[in-house]
Structures are given as C-alpha cells and as structure tokens.
Amino acid sequence: MASFSGIWVALVTPFNQHSVDFPALKRLAQHLLAAGVDGLVVCGTTGEAAALDKEEQLAVLDAVLTVAPAHQVVMGLAGNNMTATLQMQQAIQQRDIAGVLVPAPYYIRPSQCGLVEYFTTLADASRVPVILYNVPYRTGVTLELDTLRQIARHPQVKAIKECGGNPDVTMALIDDGEIDVLTGEDNLILSTLCLGGTGAISASAHLYPERFVQLVQQVADGDLPAARANFYALLPMIRQMFSFANPAPVKAALAQQGLLRNELRAPMQTAPQALQQQLAVTLAQLQPQGEAVSEIC
C-alpha cells in the first residue's frame, strides 16, 4: 500500500494585515479535510514559507495540527544551510506528523553528489518519512534520475513530489516502484494517475477539492471516460491557478469563496483584477446548481 497517495493540498497561509490569520487557516484546513482530501502540506511553496520566519512556520504547523489528524499533515522543510535545516528538522519532529517535504537546497546549485549527501543527511536524521521535492525551476538544480534512484534507496525516503518536467523520469520512478510518485504539476494529475502514480500534491485542489478526490477514485475504478470529463472540466481553472505567480490566483479564488482574505506577503502581489474577474467566471461554471458560497471572513 502506498504511504502517500490521493490528493494532498499544498496549503496556503492566510494573512490578515501582514500577520498569519490563524482562524482562517484552521477553517480552511477543516474545509479541505471535510471535502475528502487525503492530506495537507503545510509551509510549502504555496504556503509562502519563504516569507515566514521559523517561529511562524512552526506556529502554522501547530495551528493545523489542532484541527487535522497527524497522519494527514506533512510539513515543508527547505533551506540551503545544513546546520539550520537540521535544527528546523529537529523542531518539526517535536510534533507528530506524517512526513516532511524536502526540496533541493535553493540558489547554491550543488552537484549531484552534493544532493545525495544533503538528502541522505536529512533522511538519516529524520524520524518521519521524507518526501523528495524535485522542483528545478525554483531551486535552480535538477535531481537527475540516477540521483533520485540513489536517494530513493534510503529507508526513510518514501515518496516524491515530481515537478521536474521530464516525463521519462516520472515514468522510470513509477516503474521502479521504490517510492510513491505524486505530481506537483496540476495539469498532469490525470496522466500521472493513469501511468501508475499515486496522486498529487496540488495547489489548485483548494478549489472544488471534492472534484479532485473524485478524479482519483474514477481512475482507481477504471472509469476513464468519467475521469477525463471531470479533469477537462477542471483544466481551465487549473491553468488559471498558474497563470500568475503562485499562490496569488489560489488566494484570489479562495477569497471569492469567502474562505480567506486576498492578501499575500511582499514582494508577492495579488492577482491582477482581470484574472480575478476571469476566475469568478470559471468558478461559477464549476459550482453546482443551488450551491451557495459561504462567507466566513
């Protein structure tokens, strides 16, 4: 059985006048879990972790853990200073969580051998499962297939969020069967599932999460016509979610649904008005007849 499968939402961090909006954060987590998502990834890219200090990141994790079961919460762990990253890892591991999501060290562009050493050191120190995060367009370095295979042999490495843009790597990792393969590219959720991947860590699944959950079940049931129809209905919204710097479109859409305030931390900017208007149209098309949007902010 897969350790990490289905739809895990890369959770945004709500703000209110520059501070973390903890009530909105907890309501959003409860809303997503009630919709049936398999888990939440806290303080990843979509959570604007780079704009949060370490104390804020831990406070966000603690808040989510008050409303979400530990086995449904993964924490982002990113850095390029090994000592500081290990210290943060130890602080995270004082909590009971499902795992940590670890990208390559950003900016410094280490060699492939350096990447093996980095991930091995963190995996050796981890008491929870490690999910690799291959996202070269943010870190500046690509985890090559041979490197991934070497890291995947570590017993604490259980899964990968694959955003490397190379389908051959994705297929090879799925075929190897050593770790769970989840896509982080939302427009590839259907294809990844059909190839044998276990799921997705998704930003756009904040919106109509039950449709994404349904998509996973449709593929598992072998109902590909229904899965295709569902996915292609979601695809215009998915594309809009990434038509401006993430998570600005996601937060704009969630604000339109009354789930949080449309606020990001500088230098991140809110989505342009034209995009927000387009999102309103798209979300209305996805909304079932008679369903009301709740105002909770």
Side-chain angles (χ1 to χ4, degrees):
M1 177 179 287
S3 300
F4 295 97
S5 61
I7 299 297
W8 289 69
V9 177
L11 194 66
V12 300
T13 302
F15 295 114
N16 182 6
Q17 297 182 0
H18 311 296
S19 297
V20 176
D21 188 341
F22 289 105
L25 174 67
K26 290 189 280 189
R27 288 193 299 262
L28 179 60
Q30 290 174 311
H31 165 75
L32 293 168
L33 292 173
V37 304
D38 292 272
L40 306 171
V41 177
V42 179
C43 291
T45 304
T46 306
E48 296 175 75
L52 301 171
D53 63 34
K54 300 306 181 184
E55 289 73 23
E56 286 177 313
Q57 289 185 32
L58 293 171
V60 167
L61 174 59
D62 287 339
V64 172
L65 286 171
T66 65
V67 296
H71 71 274
Q72 290 183 284
V73 179
V74 163
M75 179 67 172
L77 175 64
N80 54 14
N81 178 304
M82 180 61 83
T83 300
T85 305
L86 285 166
Q87 289 172 347
M88 184 62 173
Q89 181 183 31
Q90 291 306 309
I92 291 169
Q93 291 183 155
Q94 293 175 20
R95 286 85 172 158
D96 186 16
I97 58 173
V100 288
L101 177 69
V102 185
Y106 53 86
Y107 185 75
I108 58 176
R109 301 179 67 188
S111 67
Q112 296 299 303
C113 289
L115 290 168
V116 172
E117 181 181 4
Y118 179 80
F119 283 103
T120 300
T121 299
L122 290 174
D124 284 345
S126 186
R127 67 166 183 79
V128 298
V130 172
I131 305 172
L132 308 177
Y133 185 9
N134 187 25
V135 58
Y137 54 83
R138 288 192 178 273
T139 63
V141 63
T142 298
L143 285 157
E144 296 176 359
L145 179 57
D146 288 345
T147 302
L148 288 168
R149 282 173 162 160
Q150 185 173 345
I151 298 168
R153 289 196 289 267
H154 195 289
Q156 278 299 84
V157 176
K158 302 297 185 183
I160 184 170
K161 177 182 179 180
E162 175 55 35
C163 300
N166 186 337
D168 290 333
V169 170
T170 300
M171 289 187 288
L173 292 172
I174 292 171
D175 189 42
D176 288 348
E178 291 290 332
I179 56 177
D180 299 330
V181 179
L182 303 101
T183 185
E185 302 285 359
D186 291 11
N187 62 332
L188 299 180
I189 293 176
L190 177 59
S191 57
T192 300
L193 289 169
C194 289
L195 287 168
T198 61
I201 297 178
S202 166
S204 55
H206 280 92
L207 289 312
Y208 298 102
E210 67 284 348
R211 296 282 295 270
F212 288 84
V213 173
Q214 182 184 46
L215 175 64
V216 174
Q217 190 60 52
Q218 288 165 335
V219 174
D221 292 342
D223 191 353
L224 294 185
R228 291 189 195 103
N230 188 8
F231 178 74
Y232 284 113
L234 290 167
L235 191 55
M237 182 270 289
I238 290 172
R239 287 173 172 158
Q240 287 176 333
M241 288 301 103
F242 299 97
S243 63
F244 192 76
N246 179 47
V250 177
K251 281 193 164 181
L254 290 171
Q256 290 178 14
Q257 292 190 331
L259 290 164
L260 47 69
R261 291 169 174 81
N262 187 16
E263 182 179 335
L264 294 89
R265 274 198 176 165
M268 298 294 291
Q269 300 289 303
T270 57
Q273 282 299 315
L275 176 57
Q276 294 190 42
Q277 293 168 3
Q278 294 166 10
L279 283 170
V281 173
T282 301
L283 295 177
Q285 292 171 343
L286 286 170
Q287 185 172 311
Q289 291 292 325
E291 180 179 291
V293 176
S294 61
E295 293 290 340
I296 65 172
C297 290

